[in-house]
Amino acid sequence: MARKPSDRRIIGTALRKIDAVAKVTGTTRFADDLAFPRMLYCKLLRATHPHARVVSIDASAARALDGVQAVLTGKDLPIPFGILPVSQDEHALCVDKVRFIGDPVAAVAATSEETATAALDRITVAYEPLRSFDSAEAAVANPEPRIHDYGDSGNLHKLIDLEFGDAAAGIAEGDVVREDLFFFEGNTHLPMEQHAAVAVWSPDGKLTLWSSTQTPHYVHRALAKVLELPPARVRVIATPNGGGFGGKSDPFNHEIAVAKLAMLTGRPVKITLTREEVFYCHRGRHPTLMWVRTGVKKSGAITGMHFRSLLDGGAYGSYGVASTYYTGALQTVTYNIPRYHFQGARAFTNKAPCGPKRGHGTPQPRFALEVHVDKIAEQLGLDPAELRLRTLVPPNSLTANYLRVGSMGLGRCIEKVIAGSEWKKRFRQLPEGRGVGLACSSYISGAGLPIYWNNMPHSGVQLKCDRSGGVTVFCGSTDIGQGSDSILAYIVAEILGIDPFDIAVVTADTDLTPVDLGSYSSRVTLMSGNAALQAAERARQILAVHAAKQLEVPVDRLQFADGRVFDGNDSKRGMSFADAVQAAEAAAGTVGTVGSYTPPRSAGRYRGAGVGPSPAYSYSACVAEVDVDPETGIVRVPTIWIAHDVGRSINAATVIGQVEGSIYMGLGEALMEEMAYRGNRNVVHKIPSLLEYKSPTTLEMCDVITYLVEDPDPNGPFGAKEVGQGPLLPVMPAVANAVYDAVGVRIDEVPITPEKVLKALRRKAKGEAGRVGPESFPDIPWPEPTRVPTPWEGGDGKAVEQVRA
Amino acid sequence: MGNESKAMIAFTVNGESAEVAFAPHKMLLEVLREDLGLTGTKHGCELGECGTCTVLLDGTPVLSCLVLGLACAGHDVGTVEGMASAGKLHPLQETFADLGAAQCGYCTPAFLLTAQALLAGNPQPTRDEIKDALAGNLCRCTGYIKIYEAVELAAARMRGESAEPTRESLYGA
């Protein structure tokens, strides 16, 4: 019954998204577009100290204000929550202390936003200030006072030490040993939609929350936990997200606050964060200091690598433990690293909490690694493209840290951008001030393990075939603009041979849809896509059996295409898809199927092996061209060439859109975006506005030449791998490497601002090293390493038993 | 709090005359969304920084978060809800949908209206003129490129040319 790939009608084609018309007519209902009769408005009172004990809160004057219906403080919501089971360190409203400026301490529900805002001014909070820390280095140097009363050491939240083979011995075998330091400044998602949520409490004990969240399943769990409600009585509906990029992946304090206020008042309660508050929600890129030492043979072969990272986590755990592991996990999936040692630390500081932003924990080490490789190539006198091509990880292989690489199209990606950019004619040959730089990357297509331990599928789909010929797909996945609803429709349409616009898609509603873990880690096309594929194939099987009987054609000869079911040998012998559903319904009852997806078991068996494994890895190569003005230090990027191995495009136009959007966001991180704070223990966010937080406009955006490389992976639906995050990763190092090609200075930290370029040029003119970047890595109390023999040392993925001294 | 008496204005919204009463401090953004139910107009900052709330005031793009509702009395306001007519999408809406110029769709109404105003005064804008016209609108999803291409394609069609998206635009180089 299987058709040849060439027979595909929908997969790979550029189609409109199924919600495109709603988006261009303004009819998509985002969370803040919802309104209910008698609805109240919620506002949060936020901490004005970066680190302080809450001595007392007096809300009596606020409660007395006409129009105020309820005021909540920390003691009303004492149960902690957090996205990771190991970091349940947040409260909806701070209970005994505040940990950053912007931490919420009280919530008001009133009949108008103006009244709610006025009520905040009438709440008096007495604080007892504590010493605060504005950088990871400060947190390392000062174990007291502790920002949290848990964590691996003082103000260090998490310490990781993993060694795969004897890395020091490996490095020593290199003809060249190179050591570098890098810093990646924090930045934020800046979705155009401000987070919003509306809660409705029904007197029968049911709570419904609409929220601009990427992860309704995790919000569902957090609400049930904190509000002590039976989970079956809690319904979470993720509204279409007006941009997420990882910033709407945590359960948030404001979601819990409106739910509790709705329960107390019996009225619908809405909150829409102001833009300033969105900066306090944050969960963006961790500022990360990195140190790397690598041994390399003259041929370019890497003999060993030692990588250290220190992450500034901000005030709470969020996804931070996973983020920290990710800064060390994916170094091994692009270039062959036979022995590898990773040490990672995450510090708590008194700043808005960091978490997952597009690329989650991998843009920072990828920046370091790709600039480091560029320097190694120069030291060896090799073209950096050639060096990379010589050291590629082979497809279908296991890395030193037990990541299973399937399809691997990086070589083809490099060749595409080298040819397209005329690299060989331009690298080190352009006039002063102009340059080109190359960088590569890889990213996961979903994580191998769920966030909380369970042995259930990561994604589920239910399919209903209607006798009208329409089909409805139910799935817990959340469309954040990336087009995941459309992907479900295309895959089902391909298998059932119907028009994707005849398919209704119901998603992201915990009452109606089977669980999908959420829109993060580039998991949705692969995981919910595979679940949809399985459900559609099962539906096709049911329909085929009954259609075959009616048509008197062997089941194996039936084809599904163009809205018909027909004999592959005689296409006139067939029936409409609707008739096929009716035949099946008449013979066997309502036609519905389910599908689900669980990733393959990962190969690593050591503690920490849960971060990094993925069913499939995408690959990208990028060449950036820059113009550097030596007078002003301004870096302009006219063009970026990007090749991305997406496995297989489900919808080519959507893939191109994700690539261009990733390049855009990477360009912002490379040149201007930074989450900056005023230090000196004041720790106030310097620029919580869209005007002052610089992001690229149409005037800064570069031209993008995109090449899609399709190296299908057997684990992806139709071979598809991720595209939403991977193409962002190589942009920052490609720009940094191009700046060096243009003016001969190394900016070993992002963003590459004009000030840094000028400073490096001045140092170079004085005969010093033309470099701006970190100078040292602090001493960290690393734990005893977990030693894991590599596969080629006969390792089985388990750590060596350690004898504790 | 909220007790101030309402003001009433008469103006034209999407070609229809409308009368609406609202608290006099309200901005056009709030009047449209809260008092007229026209939630197609979005907001990203309410400080005039992002362009997301752009509507047309007498055909000119304005930031509705910075325009007092009262100031619109007697004027003509155009929002995204008025772009399609008789169930038929505006050419810009067609090309934005076909090229994926709307990803999350949140900034889309503002881009559409700004582009509509551009094309009304300049039916054949260059790429640089499009960039200049759209420079006050932020989009975090698309990288703007599909938006430029959609504006160019719609402009060609509005000039009566039978233009189609390029293969490179949809499938890559």
Side-chain angles (χ1 to χ4, degrees):
Chain A
M1 232 169 39
R3 284 179 290 145
K4 298 190 293 290
S6 55
D7 293 336
R8 285 190 193 120
R9 284 158 170 82
I10 292 161
I11 300 304
T13 311
L15 290 173
R16 265 186 193 183
K17 292 199 288 185
I18 58 165
D19 53 4
V21 169
K23 298 272 169 83
V24 299
T25 51
T27 47
T28 301
R29 301 279 274 174
F30 295 92
D32 187 49
D33 298 337
L34 303 175
F36 296 90
R38 302 184 77 238
M39 189 170 80
L40 301 174
Y41 297 84
C42 172
K43 285 279 175 193
L44 299 176
L45 181 69
R46 293 179 181 273
T48 49
H49 288 269
H51 195 195
R53 253 182 266 289
V54 177
V55 179
S56 64
I57 303 179
D58 181 358
S60 54
R63 287 197 175 91
L65 189 66
D66 188 30
V68 171
Q69 301 295 305
V71 179
L72 295 177
T73 62
K75 64 177 170 25
D76 299 307
L77 291 160
I79 298 174
F81 68 97
I83 183 69
L84 300 186
V86 295
S87 312
Q88 301 284 299
D89 61 2
E90 298 185 52
H91 284 90
L93 301 165
C94 297
V95 177
D96 50 7
K97 75 181 209 171
V98 297
R99 295 179 173 87
F100 71 102
I101 288 180
D103 223 355
V105 289
V108 172
T111 48
S112 73
E113 254 187 302
E114 291 82 358
T115 306
T117 305
L120 297 185
D121 293 339
R122 296 172 187 231
I123 299 172
T124 311
V125 185
Y127 292 107
E128 181 190 313
L130 297 166
R131 187 169 174 200
S132 59
F133 305 111
D134 65 355
S135 70
E137 287 90 337
V140 170
N142 298 283
E144 299 285 339
R146 291 186 88 186
I147 294 169
H148 285 278
D149 57 9
Y150 81 105
D152 284 348
S153 169
N155 279 314
L156 290 173
H157 175 201
K158 183 70 188 173
L159 289 167
I160 298 164
D161 198 321
L162 295 171
E163 187 164 17
F164 307 93
D166 187 341
I171 292 167
E173 286 171 19
D175 297 322
V176 164
V177 175
R178 182 162 187 102
E179 207 174 291
D180 283 302
L181 281 157
F182 299 94
F183 180 64
F184 200 110
E185 180 57 282
N187 53 53
T188 200
H189 321 80
L190 209 75
M192 295 318 300
E193 178 204 28
Q194 302 138 288
H195 306 50
V198 189
V200 172
W201 173 252
S202 156
D204 63 5
K206 283 205 76 169
L207 174 75
T208 304
L209 181 87
W210 287 262
S211 183
S212 44
T213 175
Q214 300 177 230
T215 55
H217 176 60
Y218 299 136
V219 175
H220 185 194
R221 289 168 55 86
L223 286 178
K225 180 188 178 197
V226 178
L227 301 171
E228 297 181 280
L229 290 171
R233 306 282 175 88
V234 178
R235 178 182 187 185
V236 177
I237 302 168
T239 47
N241 284 202
F245 316 113
K248 296 169 180 169
S249 308
D250 287 62
F252 280 110
N253 43 50
H254 64 264
E255 293 170 321
I256 294 166
V258 288
K260 182 73 177 177
L261 287 166
M263 290 168 69
L264 283 177
T265 61
R267 293 171 67 167
V269 181
K270 171 154 118 180
I271 187 164
T272 302
L273 301 189
T274 64
R275 179 52 61 179
E276 184 181 349
E277 289 178 294
V278 174
F279 280 89
Y280 301 143
C281 257
H282 191 40
R283 320 289 159 146
R285 190 85 69 225
H286 286 73
T288 305
L289 177 66
M290 293 159 288
W291 171 90
V292 56
R293 178 195 280 156
T294 306
V296 193
K297 291 285 188 195
K298 282 182 185 142
S299 64
I302 295 169
T303 54
M305 179 180 287
H306 186 175
F307 197 98
R308 287 183 181 141
S309 59
L310 172 60
L311 291 77
D312 176 349
Y316 290 98
S318 182
Y319 285 79
V321 169
S323 317
T324 310
Y325 277 109
Y326 270 124
T327 64
L330 300 189
Q331 278 85 334
T332 56
V333 298
T334 45
Y335 317 120
N336 195 17
I337 301 174
R339 288 182 263 190
Y340 179 56
H341 187 185
F342 167 63
Q343 293 171 303
R346 183 180 194 260
F348 285 125
T349 60
N350 296 109
K351 304 197 292 200
C354 297
K357 184 187 171 193
R358 206 172 194 171
H360 191 192
T362 66
Q364 302 98 319
R366 185 51 66 178
F367 170 72
L369 180 60
E370 295 296 319
V371 176
H372 184 61
V373 166
D374 203 64
K375 295 180 183 188
I376 289 170
E378 182 167 53
Q379 209 167 330
L380 294 176
L382 284 173
D383 180 295
E386 177 59 28
L387 171 66
R388 287 174 169 89
L389 287 169
R390 286 183 190 182
T391 57
L392 293 180
V393 164
N396 305 311
S397 62
L398 208 53
T399 67
N401 56 341
Y402 290 87
L403 303 182
R404 201 182 294 286
V405 172
S407 81
M408 204 287 191
L410 182 54
R412 284 166 66 198
C413 290
I414 293 174
E415 282 155 13
K416 285 274 185 194
V417 293
I418 291 308
S421 66
E422 301 188 300
W423 172 264
K424 295 207 164 99
K425 282 199 262 175
R426 306 174 84 200
F427 177 66
R428 298 286 189 266
Q429 293 161 61
L430 289 170
E432 182 75 11
R434 288 182 61 205
V436 286
L438 168 73
C440 301
S441 67
S442 174
Y443 199 64
I444 55 170
S445 307
L449 289 178
I451 277 173
Y452 65 97
W453 166 246
N454 71 81
N455 55 9
M456 292 175 280
H458 293 211
S459 193
V461 160
Q462 287 179 328
L463 206 78
K464 181 200 76 149
C465 297
D466 191 81
R467 58 180 77 166
S468 68
V471 170
T472 309
V473 186
F474 298 88
C475 179
S477 61
T478 304
D479 201 313
I480 60 173
Q482 85 283 42
S484 58
D485 283 5
S486 299
I487 297 299
L488 292 170
Y490 302 144
I491 287 174
V492 170
E494 181 69 51
I495 298 299
L496 297 181
I498 59 177
D499 185 331
F501 293 88
D502 287 343
I503 296 174
V505 177
V506 178
T507 52
D509 181 328
T510 61
D511 262 15
L512 303 182
T513 60
V515 166
D516 172 87
L517 295 179
S519 285
Y520 63 92
S521 80
S522 268
R523 53 178 296 289
V524 187
T525 291
L526 189 138
M527 298 203 190
S528 71
N530 272 324
L533 185 61
Q534 185 179 62
E537 280 176 342
R538 286 172 175 172
R540 181 176 152 133
Q541 187 64 40
I542 292 168
L543 298 177
V545 165
H546 300 289
K549 271 189 204 150
Q550 202 157 313
L551 294 170
E552 296 177 342
V553 173
V555 169
D556 292 353
R557 281 216 324 252
L558 282 184
Q559 295 214 354
F560 285 62
D562 305 321
R564 292 179 70 242
V565 181
F566 55 90
D567 182 350
N569 293 351
D570 173 13
S571 65
K572 286 191 206 70
R573 191 165 183 175
M575 58 172 70
S576 71
F577 179 79
D579 285 343
V581 176
Q582 289 174 23
E585 197 173 339
T590 303
V591 183
T593 58
V594 297
S596 55
Y597 180 75
T598 307
R601 192 158 180 239
S602 49
R605 294 280 174 275
Y606 55 92
R607 189 175 161 81
V611 176
S614 176
Y617 297 90
S618 76
Y619 288 91
S620 314
C622 171
V623 169
E625 179 187 12
V626 301
D627 286 330
V628 182
D629 182 339
E631 298 297 314
T632 62
I634 290 174
V635 177
R636 227 173 46 82
V637 179
T639 308
I640 281 179
W641 292 263
I642 176 95
H644 183 74
D645 168 19
V646 67
R648 173 84 70 204
S649 304
I650 303 290
N651 175 349
T654 307
V655 172
I656 300 275
Q658 286 301 306
V659 172
E660 290 175 356
S662 293
I663 298 299
Y664 153 84
M665 201 163 269
L667 186 72
E669 298 196 22
L671 296 180
M672 63 190 87
E673 295 191 30
E674 53 185 329
M675 201 63 182
Y677 290 81
R678 295 185 197 129
N680 301 329
R681 301 190 194 167
N682 203 5
V683 208
V684 184
H685 196 295
K686 206 167 169 182
I687 44 177
S689 86
L690 279 168
L691 189 65
E692 297 301 326
Y693 179 93
K694 301 299 181 200
S695 64
T697 72
T698 56
L699 302 179
E700 287 81 37
M701 183 56 193
C702 56
D703 287 341
V704 178
I705 315 292
T706 303
Y707 306 92
L708 296 186
V709 169
E710 298 195 314
D711 194 343
D713 195 288
N715 285 336
F718 301 98
K721 306 195 284 191
E722 78 88 35
V723 63
Q725 310 191 57
L728 177 148
L729 305 178
V731 176
M732 295 74 76
V735 169
N737 292 338
V739 167
Y740 179 70
D741 189 45
V743 290
V745 296
R746 287 289 181 186
I747 312 301
D748 288 337
E749 59 178 72
V750 290
I752 300 169
T753 58
E755 293 85 346
K756 291 176 192 167
V757 174
L758 282 183
K759 197 167 161 187
L761 285 170
R762 275 198 298 269
R763 285 179 179 170
K764 189 181 160 207
K766 280 196 278 181
E768 300 165 14
R771 172 182 181 268
V772 166
E775 302 293 338
S776 63
F777 194 97
D779 288 331
I780 307 259
W782 301 113
E784 188 66 20
T786 298
R787 294 184 211 280
V788 185
T790 59
W792 33 93
E793 292 167 336
D796 57 1
K798 292 190 187 128
V800 174
E801 289 292 330
Q802 279 153 31
V803 185
R804 293 259 167 218
Chain B
M1 284 310 115
N3 295 332
E4 55 192 332
S5 51
K6 288 185 172 180
M8 166 92 88
I9 66 162
F11 64 148
T12 306
V13 180
N14 296 325
E16 286 177 18
S17 51
E19 286 189 347
V20 59
F22 52 88
H25 67 265
K26 277 195 168 185
M27 294 295 166
L28 176 59
L29 169 70
E30 298 162 295
V31 175
L32 291 171
R33 288 178 55 83
E34 295 166 12
D35 299 294
L36 291 168
L38 296 172
T39 53
T41 302
K42 306 301 180 194
H43 53 80
C45 65
E46 294 164 86
L47 295 166
E49 298 174 344
C50 66
T52 304
C53 66
T54 303
V55 299
L56 300 181
L57 186 62
D58 301 324
T60 302
V62 295
L63 302 174
S64 64
C65 74
L66 296 186
V67 175
L68 272 173
L70 281 177
C72 299
H75 291 276
D76 181 273
V77 172
T79 71
V80 70
E81 285 90 348
M83 284 188 76
S85 63
K88 198 171 168 334
L89 295 180
H90 186 280
L92 280 163
Q93 292 174 309
E94 292 279 1
T95 58
F96 269 60
D98 282 336
L99 289 170
Q103 283 190 22
C104 81
Y106 197 78
C107 69
T108 305
F111 273 93
L112 285 166
L113 292 163
T114 309
Q116 188 183 11
L118 168 70
L119 297 185
N122 181 357
Q124 195 159 2
T126 63
R127 177 65 67 96
D128 281 344
E129 286 169 337
I130 294 170
K131 288 184 182 180
D132 276 344
L134 301 176
N137 293 79
L138 293 179
C139 168
R140 288 293 275 176
C141 294
T142 62
Y144 306 109
I145 294 170
K146 289 287 166 276
I147 295 175
Y148 308 149
E149 291 170 356
V151 174
E152 287 162 352
L153 184 59
R157 288 177 181 172
M158 287 164 74
R159 295 192 302 267
E161 298 165 23
S162 60
E164 291 302 322
T166 65
R167 192 177 160 76
E168 186 172 334
S169 163
L170 298 175
Y171 293 91

